[in-house]
Amino acid sequence: MELENNKIYHGFKLNRITPIGELDSIAYQFVHEKSGARLLYLSNDDDNKVFSITFRTTPTDDTGVAHIIEHSTLCGSRKFPIKEPFVELLKGSLNTFLNAMTFPDKTMYPVASQNDKDFQNLIDVYLDAVFYPLMTQVPEILMQEGWHYEINDVDAPLKYSGVVYNEMKGALSSPEELLERKLLNNMFPDNTYAFESGGDPVSIPTLTQKDFIDFHKRYYHPANSYIYLYGKMDILQKLQFFNDAYLSNFTRIDIVSHIDKQQPFAAEKKLCDVYPVSSNEDKKNKTFLSYNFSHGTSVDATECFALDLLDYVLFKSQSAPLRNALIKAGIGADVSSSFDYGLMQPWWNVTVTGAEPENIDKFQKIFVDTINDIIDNGIDKTLLQAAFNITEFKLREADFGQAPKGLIYNIQLMKSWLYDGDPIIYLQYENLLADMKANISTDYFEKLLKRVIIDNPHKLLFTFIPDDKIAAAAEQKTVTDMAVKKAAMSSQEITKIIADTKKLKMRQQTPDSPEALLTIPMLSLNDINKQARKFIIEHDNIADVKILKHNINTNGIAYVDFYFDASVIPVDKLPQAFLLVDILRNVATAKYSYEELANAVNLNTGGITFDLSAYSRKGEPDSLLPKLTVKSKALVNKLPELFELLYQIIFTSKFSDKKRLKELIIQSKTNMELEMLNSAQQIVASRLSSYFTPSGAYNEQGGLAFYGFIKNLSDHFDEKYEEICADFTEILKRVFTRSNLLVSVTMRDTQYNIFESKFTEFVSNLDTAEYPAETFPFKINKRNEGFQSSSLVQYVGCGANFVRKGYAYNGSLLVLSTILRCTYFWNRIRVLGGAYGAFVKFGSDGDLYFGSYRDPNLTETLQVYKDMVKFLKEFNVSKREMTKYIIGTISTLDTPLTPAGKARAADVAYIRNICDADIQNVRNEVLGIKQADIQNLAELINDCLTDSAICVVGNEAKLAKHKDIFKSLSNIFEA
């Protein structure tokens, strides 16, 4: 049936129909007349369907009420009266995305699935959750997800707990996240952005049940909602369902959720603040210097698009003039920037990392002088064109990794829709591209810079200084305040808190009734595709080089990846090799300066990147397959230029510019210091893997172990300069040979001849010399390490290798992973323990990893791991529950992949000796699993835990208190 404008379909009036050629879609914009709900449907042939409902939620304090409600709505509802419908969906649906997200001014509830029945089930649960949540009737939901006083007996100290409370303690332990919060709040001090929508741990405990309910009542009405659908579906059926099941129950009302515009500052502001570091952490070069600007609104797509392009031109590329001016002046180690137009008023942030506070005025002067010089003399047109080309390439490629395309489009259209603008202006990018391309030859961008940077008073100069006292002081203040609170309480009040704590624990530990669980819709195993996805791969040989061909529709893009055998790199040169892949493409070549090279890459390709990592063969933990990988992509007609650039980088890179090399090394060190705090869970996982397998130990040479090397090199650069250059030259000579090479190419077979001719020419440049493989010494070394940081929470890891214990990898382990994530760890570590999350890994090489994330606990979580054996021995669920776990596991196996993702999955499988039959066997084992199979895994887990190792990153005082559980305990920056 063809839909017509101005007609009403199941209560929805269709107001606009717009083809969007860029997305091969048609946009239908509706309004539900009775309730006032807005709905936008992007119709296309994508089977990965997306639904989302978004509410404009504008906080007026720092209690995190919007964030806590986002968690709490998914803790049971009218039709689905169980404690965790969200978890039941994780267990028993084929979702390709399932989550909820709190932003500074909105809350989104998106789901995605490729299965029509499953998609409908997900929509139903989510709509009932947001409109009819149990949180308004059950106080324990706020206690669990937000905060509560916790005390188990009259003599125990009073403390706070709650999932969001601990999540935000972890989030605001990161200097970068804390800086972002401070900047946003100070850039917009008079509107909703002045408040922390996620919640400040200091303010979260002031949120009352009444305020909690009132916030939901105020904002969670259809008249304040933005409903979004994407993909191939029966839209009339969806409209009828929305109307009949939900929206017809509501009458349109006026909701005050608009965002007051922050008036421009009368003059630039200059502020300074501090952030916490651990007590023995070096504070030198740890200051952040930040310059911030706001201009216009996000509904002005042309200006926002242009400013986003300017952000890339000035800061993102290695040839970026303002970034380079700041680095060359020695202001700091590196420069980062972001242009955020996901707020009503766009916010441009430029931050220098690795700086000292006394450089703030110098930073501002160089910034302003360089901008004025650019305005007066014009932006390099080649640089503008290069930035334009890379922007256009990414828009057309639409590669968002594992995130569904439809979800990303939803986030993009909210940049205007939420602020009462045209929702599709950011999706129709052809007109925006045309405007930008036409503006390159004019002075449009220079005038824009003058208006937004120089003549604009709405700017903030901010200094963020490390302080090694405030973390301990804040922690002590919390302890003291809680002691004072408890002392001021009557015995009746303390008794009530103990009773409330017990009541909460009782609710958390009481299983949902079978009748309640039956309310959650689920698929049957008959709805599951029994066939595993096959690898798209063919084999070829060109000039004695093995080629992996992937005949996939890539919309005219060629993906060309080179896998060079890195086993020829001497073991004592591995840190140098990890550094080399970090700086290649950022130094000069025979033909290009590093700035010219950056422009040439952006003008002619979609990107060239380098990586060094080790694999292992399936089931062989002692195997080691290190690869130096070169990933590249370009339009097929740009393959000649791509290969010419690859030649320049691989064969003619120069390290003779001593100043440039030092800049890159300092940047690498500084960026790693930030990553060590932002990605603590990855450090824990990598470190544990290094204890048990050669591949894990090899990769760890580029992990936390790399920091000591890069810090030493940075501190003694002058005396080590010639040595490091010689190391780079030797590594390049050894690795980039024809005998070491495996190539992957992804494109249509009809265009393969273009690749073939250019590759034949390229490979003739490769040396035919052969170098012997080096021996990588490896010994199992369970270090049981603790790494102290300024974090207020922990990341608690435990690991082992089950293949070394005589067990084999099979599909039952994947189902066990689902059971642990969605039941055992969810209940014990998140619900009862208050941590934000927990993770599980069972690798086909035998690596086993359990880890918690933003966890207030340490030894308690280690005990949860130990208690797992008892849980598995007593594992007893209904056939329906077992089916849920199977379906949830299949959903993790069937994640949609981009063309590049499909190719790289096939490449890794080839390298690791995994074939289609192996993948099918695992799927068969998942589909055929029985309860007894899970119970039998108790033996595997017991054997591994008996001989396991631990690794923890976390709060300095917390780890020191439990120092006896570690073999070594050190500050993370002294590891």
Side-chain angles (χ1 to χ4, degrees), residues 402-423:
Q402 292 190 346
K405 285 194 295 186
L407 171 61
I408 304 303
Y409 296 146
N410 183 196
I411 293 172
Q412 288 175 349
L413 63 84
M414 293 309 300
K415 292 175 179 178
S416 53
W417 199 15
L418 192 77
Y419 314 116
D420 305 317
D422 183 351

Side-chain angles (χ1 to χ4, degrees), residues 285-300:
N285 297 327
K286 291 286 183 71
T287 291
F288 297 82
L289 309 176
S290 187
Y291 216 176
N292 302 268
F293 310 85
S294 182
H295 185 275
T297 68
S298 292
V299 297
D300 186 344

Side-chain angles (χ1 to χ4, degrees), residues 858-916:
L858 200 171
T859 54
E860 298 90 341
T861 297
L862 292 174
Q863 187 62 48
V864 171
Y865 299 151
K866 292 176 183 177
D867 293 344
M868 204 184 319
V869 176
K870 181 175 184 290
F871 166 78
L872 293 176
K873 285 180 177 178
E874 298 173 355
F875 182 74
N876 183 18
V877 296
S878 67
K879 182 178 179 181
R880 188 175 191 270
E881 287 299 297
M882 201 67 211
T883 300
K884 281 184 188 176
Y885 290 127
I886 293 171
I887 293 170
T889 304
I890 291 293
S891 77
T892 66
L893 298 178
D894 290 350
T895 302
L897 298 174
T898 63
K902 292 175 184 176
R904 285 166 186 157
D907 294 342
V908 172
Y910 175 82
I911 291 167
R912 300 194 60 218
N913 196 31
I914 296 171
C915 64
D916 286 332

Side-chain angles (χ1 to χ4, degrees), residues 610-668:
F610 294 81
D611 176 62
L612 178 62
S613 57
Y615 304 92
S616 60
R617 280 185 291 273
K618 65 174 183 183
E620 298 180 30
D622 285 320
S623 60
L624 180 64
L625 306 167
K627 300 291 180 185
L628 196 159
T629 306
V630 186
K631 297 179 181 178
S632 65
K633 55 190 175 184
L635 296 173
V636 173
N637 64 3
K638 288 282 189 176
L639 277 174
E641 290 83 354
L642 174 65
F643 277 106
E644 193 271 336
L645 288 164
L646 288 169
Y647 172 84
Q648 283 289 315
I649 297 168
I650 289 173
F651 298 111
T652 77
S653 286
K654 297 178 178 180
F655 308 103
S656 54
D657 186 340
K658 188 175 180 180
K659 186 173 185 295
R660 174 61 177 167
L661 191 57
K662 185 174 183 179
E663 288 171 357
L664 292 171
I665 288 168
I666 293 173
Q667 287 170 27
S668 180

Side-chain angles (χ1 to χ4, degrees), residues 56-58 105 218-219 223-224 226 255-260:
R56 188 159 60 191
T57 49
T58 48
D105 54 15
R218 184 182 314 129
Y219 294 120
N224 192 43
Y226 302 78
I255 296 176
V256 180
S257 66
H258 71 276
I259 301 165
D260 293 326

Side-chain angles (χ1 to χ4, degrees), residues 759-779:
F759 177 73
T760 302
E761 180 183 328
F762 173 83
V763 79
S764 66
N765 296 296
L766 287 171
D767 196 336
T768 56
E770 296 187 20
Y771 296 88
E774 297 284 331
T775 302
F776 184 77
F778 172 73
K779 185 169 72 172

